[in-house]
Short mmCIF file of all heavy atoms in Angstrom, two decimals:
data_model
loop_
_atom_site.label_atom_id
_atom_site.label_comp_id
_atom_site.label_asym_id
_atom_site.label_seq_id
_atom_site.Cartn_x
_atom_site.Cartn_y
_atom_site.Cartn_z
N PRO A 160 12.89 0.43 -6.33
CA PRO A 160 14.29 0.01 -6.60
C PRO A 160 14.42 -0.57 -7.99
O PRO A 160 13.46 -1.03 -8.60
CB PRO A 160 14.53 -1.04 -5.50
CG PRO A 160 13.57 -0.69 -4.41
CD PRO A 160 12.35 -0.20 -5.12
N GLN A 161 15.68 -0.56 -8.46
CA GLN A 161 15.98 -0.92 -9.86
C GLN A 161 15.67 -2.35 -10.20
O GLN A 161 15.24 -2.67 -11.30
CB GLN A 161 17.46 -0.63 -10.12
CG GLN A 161 17.88 -0.80 -11.54
CD GLN A 161 19.30 -0.36 -11.78
OE1 GLN A 161 20.01 0.02 -10.85
NE2 GLN A 161 19.74 -0.41 -13.00
N ASP A 162 15.89 -3.28 -9.26
CA ASP A 162 15.67 -4.70 -9.53
C ASP A 162 15.39 -5.43 -8.21
O ASP A 162 15.35 -4.82 -7.16
CB ASP A 162 16.86 -5.32 -10.27
CG ASP A 162 18.19 -5.14 -9.53
OD1 ASP A 162 18.19 -5.10 -8.26
OD2 ASP A 162 19.22 -5.04 -10.19
N LYS A 163 15.20 -6.75 -8.29
CA LYS A 163 14.85 -7.53 -7.11
C LYS A 163 15.93 -7.43 -6.02
O LYS A 163 15.62 -7.33 -4.85
CB LYS A 163 14.60 -9.00 -7.46
CG LYS A 163 13.27 -9.23 -8.11
CD LYS A 163 13.01 -10.72 -8.29
CE LYS A 163 11.59 -10.95 -8.79
NZ LYS A 163 11.21 -12.35 -8.69
N ASP A 164 17.19 -7.52 -6.43
CA ASP A 164 18.28 -7.43 -5.45
C ASP A 164 18.28 -6.09 -4.73
O ASP A 164 18.45 -6.02 -3.53
CB ASP A 164 19.64 -7.68 -6.10
CG ASP A 164 19.81 -9.11 -6.56
OD1 ASP A 164 19.17 -10.02 -5.97
OD2 ASP A 164 20.58 -9.36 -7.51
N ALA A 165 18.11 -5.01 -5.49
CA ALA A 165 18.05 -3.66 -4.88
C ALA A 165 16.83 -3.53 -3.98
O ALA A 165 16.91 -2.89 -2.93
CB ALA A 165 18.03 -2.60 -5.98
N SER A 166 15.75 -4.16 -4.37
CA SER A 166 14.53 -4.14 -3.53
C SER A 166 14.76 -4.85 -2.23
O SER A 166 14.39 -4.36 -1.15
CB SER A 166 13.35 -4.78 -4.28
OG SER A 166 12.26 -4.92 -3.43
N LYS A 167 15.42 -5.98 -2.28
CA LYS A 167 15.73 -6.75 -1.07
C LYS A 167 16.65 -5.95 -0.14
O LYS A 167 16.42 -5.88 1.05
CB LYS A 167 16.39 -8.09 -1.47
CG LYS A 167 16.55 -9.05 -0.31
CD LYS A 167 17.04 -10.39 -0.80
CE LYS A 167 17.20 -11.36 0.35
NZ LYS A 167 17.59 -12.69 -0.09
N ARG A 168 17.68 -5.31 -0.74
CA ARG A 168 18.59 -4.47 0.07
C ARG A 168 17.83 -3.30 0.70
O ARG A 168 18.07 -2.98 1.86
CB ARG A 168 19.75 -3.97 -0.80
CG ARG A 168 20.83 -4.99 -1.03
CD ARG A 168 22.08 -4.37 -1.64
NE ARG A 168 21.82 -3.61 -2.86
CZ ARG A 168 21.74 -4.13 -4.06
NH1 ARG A 168 21.88 -5.42 -4.24
NH2 ARG A 168 21.51 -3.35 -5.11
N ALA A 169 16.97 -2.66 -0.08
CA ALA A 169 16.21 -1.51 0.45
C ALA A 169 15.36 -1.94 1.63
O ALA A 169 15.28 -1.21 2.64
CB ALA A 169 15.31 -0.91 -0.65
N ASP A 170 14.75 -3.11 1.55
CA ASP A 170 13.93 -3.59 2.65
C ASP A 170 14.80 -3.92 3.89
O ASP A 170 14.47 -3.56 4.99
CB ASP A 170 13.12 -4.79 2.24
CG ASP A 170 12.14 -5.22 3.31
OD1 ASP A 170 11.12 -4.53 3.47
OD2 ASP A 170 12.39 -6.25 3.99
N GLN A 171 15.91 -4.61 3.64
CA GLN A 171 16.78 -5.04 4.75
C GLN A 171 17.45 -3.85 5.41
O GLN A 171 17.71 -3.86 6.62
CB GLN A 171 17.82 -6.01 4.25
CG GLN A 171 17.21 -7.35 3.84
CD GLN A 171 18.18 -8.25 3.11
OE1 GLN A 171 19.14 -7.82 2.52
NE2 GLN A 171 17.91 -9.54 3.15
N ASP A 248 4.37 -5.75 -3.45
CA ASP A 248 5.14 -6.49 -4.44
C ASP A 248 4.63 -6.34 -5.88
O ASP A 248 5.03 -7.08 -6.76
CB ASP A 248 5.24 -7.97 -4.03
CG ASP A 248 3.91 -8.69 -4.06
OD1 ASP A 248 2.87 -8.06 -4.42
OD2 ASP A 248 3.88 -9.88 -3.71
N GLN A 250 4.53 -3.60 -8.84
CA GLN A 250 4.97 -2.29 -9.32
C GLN A 250 3.83 -1.49 -9.96
O GLN A 250 3.78 -0.28 -9.81
CB GLN A 250 6.13 -2.43 -10.32
CG GLN A 250 7.45 -2.72 -9.65
CD GLN A 250 8.60 -2.58 -10.62
OE1 GLN A 250 8.57 -1.75 -11.52
NE2 GLN A 250 9.61 -3.40 -10.43
N TRP A 293 8.18 -0.43 -3.67
CA TRP A 293 8.05 -1.72 -4.31
C TRP A 293 8.98 -2.69 -3.58
O TRP A 293 10.17 -2.42 -3.45
CB TRP A 293 8.39 -1.67 -5.80
CG TRP A 293 8.47 -3.06 -6.39
CD1 TRP A 293 7.47 -3.94 -6.53
CD2 TRP A 293 9.65 -3.67 -6.92
NE1 TRP A 293 7.93 -5.11 -7.10
CE2 TRP A 293 9.25 -4.96 -7.33
CE3 TRP A 293 10.98 -3.29 -7.03
CZ2 TRP A 293 10.15 -5.87 -7.89
CZ3 TRP A 293 11.87 -4.18 -7.61
CH2 TRP A 293 11.45 -5.45 -8.04
N THR A 294 8.41 -3.77 -3.09
CA THR A 294 9.18 -4.79 -2.37
C THR A 294 9.02 -6.07 -3.15
O THR A 294 7.94 -6.64 -3.21
CB THR A 294 8.62 -4.97 -0.92
OG1 THR A 294 8.61 -3.70 -0.30
CG2 THR A 294 9.48 -5.91 -0.13
N ALA A 295 10.10 -6.50 -3.77
CA ALA A 295 10.04 -7.69 -4.63
C ALA A 295 9.49 -8.89 -3.88
O ALA A 295 9.83 -9.14 -2.73
CB ALA A 295 11.45 -8.00 -5.16
N GLY A 296 8.64 -9.64 -4.54
CA GLY A 296 8.09 -10.86 -3.99
C GLY A 296 9.00 -12.04 -4.25
O GLY A 296 9.88 -12.01 -5.14
N ARG A 297 8.85 -13.06 -3.45
CA ARG A 297 9.56 -14.32 -3.64
C ARG A 297 11.08 -14.18 -3.57
O ARG A 297 11.80 -14.86 -4.30
CB ARG A 297 9.14 -14.99 -4.92
CG ARG A 297 7.64 -14.93 -5.18
CD ARG A 297 7.00 -16.28 -5.21
NE ARG A 297 5.63 -16.29 -5.66
CZ ARG A 297 4.59 -15.75 -5.00
NH1 ARG A 297 4.79 -15.08 -3.94
NH2 ARG A 297 3.35 -15.87 -5.44
N VAL A 298 11.56 -13.29 -2.70
CA VAL A 298 13.01 -13.16 -2.51
C VAL A 298 13.38 -13.38 -1.05
O VAL A 298 14.45 -13.02 -0.61
CB VAL A 298 13.54 -11.79 -3.02
CG1 VAL A 298 13.42 -11.68 -4.50
CG2 VAL A 298 12.87 -10.62 -2.29
N LEU A 300 11.87 -12.12 1.80
CA LEU A 300 11.65 -11.05 2.78
C LEU A 300 10.49 -11.46 3.67
O LEU A 300 9.38 -11.70 3.20
CB LEU A 300 11.35 -9.74 2.07
CG LEU A 300 12.47 -9.18 1.18
CD1 LEU A 300 12.00 -7.96 0.43
CD2 LEU A 300 13.68 -8.85 2.04
#
Side-chain angles (χ1 to χ4, degrees):
Q161 186 174 4
D162 56 32
K163 283 187 174 193
D164 291 333
S166 172
K167 188 173 181 177
R168 282 191 306 276
D170 186 74
Q171 292 170 336
D248 65 2
Q250 283 192 33
W293 170 64
T294 306
R297 317 243 189 293
V298 294
L300 297 174

